Amino acid sequence: MPPLEFHPNKTSFDAVNALAMAKAAALAYKPKADVLKTLASWGFPRARFFASRGTEGFVAARDDLIVVAYRGTQEREDVLADAKLKMVPGKG
């Protein structure tokens, strides 16, 4: 599979970026071994998985891009976790 195509300098909607993020979100539902294999084929040598209070997903990195992908809301606990989003100041 070719590397994941992404236009990192876009500041408005981009169909290529939307497709890339949709692929990453769909990948979050796969078993870890499949995720790692696909990410490697997309050019992401590093990935970490997370699961906390109903939120699951992965973070993957390559030299030009970091992707954070979450599974969607599936259960009541997921809705409660989604509702606890807090905005905080950040750098950049």
Side-chain angles (χ1 to χ4, degrees):
M1 193 175 293
L4 186 69
E5 185 178 356
F6 195 83
H7 301 144
N9 296 321
K10 288 287 190 171
T11 58
S12 60
F13 177 79
D14 182 80
V16 170
N17 291 351
L19 179 60
M21 294 300 93
K23 289 179 179 180
L27 187 60
Y29 290 90
K30 304 283 186 185
K32 287 182 181 180
D34 293 344
V35 173
L36 291 170
K37 182 178 177 183
T38 301
L39 289 172
S41 75
W42 287 352
F44 290 88
R46 299 175 300 279
R48 302 253 175 151
F49 296 88
F50 57 85
S52 177
R53 300 182 194 162
T55 301
E56 297 178 60
F58 64 85
V59 178
R62 64 184 195 199
D63 290 342
D64 65 332
L65 183 64
I66 297 173
V67 171
V68 180
Y70 299 87
R71 291 183 178 187
T73 302
Q74 296 177 311
E75 301 173 6
R76 184 176 95 72
E77 291 80 19
D78 296 343
V79 174
L80 297 174
D82 294 347
K84 293 181 182 175
L85 179 68
K86 180 180 177 183
M87 299 291 286
V88 295
K91 296 179 182 177

